[in-house]
Amino acid sequence: MNPPRVAIAGLGGFAANHHAAIQLLEEQGLCRLTRTCDPALESHSEAIQKLGLAQREVRMASSFEAMMEDADEFDVVLLPTPIPLHAEQHRQVIESGKACYLEKPPTLWWPEFQQMLEVEMKAKWQTQIGFNFVGDPFRRSLKERLLSGEFGQVLGASLFAIWPRDLAYYQRNNWAGRMQLNGKPVMDSPIGNACAHFVQDLLFWLGSDGLDSLMELSEVRAKLTRVHPIETFDTVMLEATSPEGRWLRLGVTHTGLEGHEDCETIHCEAATITLESWWQAKIEYTDGRTETLESGLRSGAGPLGHNLKTYFNYIQGALDRPGTTLLETTQFVQLHNLAFKSSGSIESETVGIERRDGKVGVADVPERLKRFVQNREWSGPEPASVTPDTL
């Protein structure tokens, strides 16, 4: 397998990012794209030409199933496909004996996740899930320092994120903003999809049992609301605690009329660490010292390319494990499902709504979310506490 032969499911959407990353890695001699597919090939003629797929001798199919019939032509399959397709496509790749790189999230429905874990037991190579942040070397180095106790006891971590999405975002496909599709749960949400990298990142920071450990959940409380005309939620306040008392808070929304912002914060006894961009962390010590760390993945194929290189090294035997494994997304899927269970229902916001260019906003939502992540100030009654054993 030198270099690994790659198949990518899809040409549009996030699959375009995979094609761009693979093209750069191919130029470095690290892989070779041999197959791709898309149910709307004719609508991607410009991308096909720009990527030079014909010149690169990449065979194209009009369906995933047709591509998988020629599994002897590739070693690894990349699945940057719609969330409702993940479980079935993952199963087909594993049963074909090929390696699978599956974009985040693996699924947002707990029973389906358990089924995927059963399928994974038959895998020749472990599946890697495309959570980009936790594989970044600068974050892994910071996690090692957290584990060493350099910043004192880790108390908790929080995310404040305003990622406005317009109505077109929810109309871009048949599953966005949906609770279910054709009778099957989808449970799309800001923390399950667009901001999922941040959620997995917080679970990573709060893991206390080794570099790849993740926060174990003991209790979860969540308040879910919506302004957009969707089935699921577009705004969330969520708190989770671990058995040893560490806490995680999320204040995230897809509402807003202006640009987006996000901030991860790690709270420790001797320092506060903030990440106001994915590529930089600022450490403020209680004694007044400051320190800045930066990612080395801002150019080239970026975090996605780094993730893909990690997976290729694993399936070639240079690493003993991939990046984020399917099993290591257990707490992520648990957290998402427990949020729905705690909230019980999704409250529709009706007061103070503003609309502009397809976007919607509620004037006090950002301040509400800030007060929550900073001071644990709930809007209204505190939600019910639920535990993983209730799933």
Side-chain angles (χ1 to χ4, degrees), residues 195-344:
C195 293
H197 291 298
F198 296 107
V199 178
Q200 184 74 1
D201 214 24
L202 263 60
L203 293 168
F204 172 72
W205 297 133
L206 296 175
S208 59
D209 188 26
L211 182 58
D212 290 298
S213 64
L214 298 155
M215 176 188 182
E216 294 295 330
L217 304 177
S218 58
E219 294 183 75
V220 173
R221 291 179 173 84
K223 178 181 176 64
L224 311 180
T225 61
R226 63 178 164 232
V227 177
H228 289 93
I230 57 176
E231 295 176 359
T232 183
F233 63 93
D234 55 32
T235 303
V236 56
M237 295 178 178
L238 182 150
E239 178 186 59
T241 54
S242 71
E244 67 266 45
R246 295 183 176 188
W247 52 265
L248 175 156
R249 288 190 204 123
L250 304 174
V252 179
T253 186
H254 272 342
T255 68
L257 303 176
E258 307 298 335
H260 79 266
E261 60 178 300
D262 49 70
C263 181
E264 291 178 68
T265 307
I266 310 168
H267 304 265
C268 306
E269 281 185 322
T272 300
I273 305 167
T274 56
L275 297 93
E276 293 185 341
S277 62
W278 70 264
W279 53 269
Q280 186 177 79
K282 182 178 181 181
I283 306 172
E284 297 178 285
Y285 295 87
T286 54
D287 63 10
R289 290 177 295 134
T290 63
E291 180 183 353
T292 300
L293 307 173
E294 292 192 2
S295 170
L297 302 180
R298 295 181 66 192
S299 59
L304 173 57
H306 178 80
N307 257 3
L308 293 170
K309 284 192 286 187
T310 296
Y311 196 49
F312 297 159
N313 283 333
Y314 161 66
I315 64 176
Q316 289 179 293
L319 295 174
D320 61 4
R321 55 156 290 158
T324 303
T325 66
L326 182 63
L327 184 62
E328 289 168 343
T329 64
T330 298
Q331 291 92 327
F332 173 87
V333 182
Q334 284 180 336
L335 189 72
H336 194 259
N337 283 251
L338 290 170
F340 283 95
K341 195 172 185 68
S342 170
S343 185

Side-chain angles (χ1 to χ4, degrees), residues 6 32 97 101 140 157 175 179 182 189 248 292 348 376 382:
V6 177
R32 182 165 60 90
Y101 182 101
R140 296 179 70 78
W175 55 268
M179 281 296 294
N182 300 325
S189 80
L248 175 156
T292 300
S348 294
R376 195 180 178 271
E382 184 170 301

Side-chain angles (χ1 to χ4, degrees), residues 46-59:
E46 184 177 343
I48 290 169
Q49 183 176 1
K50 183 178 179 181
L51 290 166
L53 296 186
Q55 295 89 330
R56 292 160 64 192
E57 299 182 343
V58 178
R59 293 183 60 198

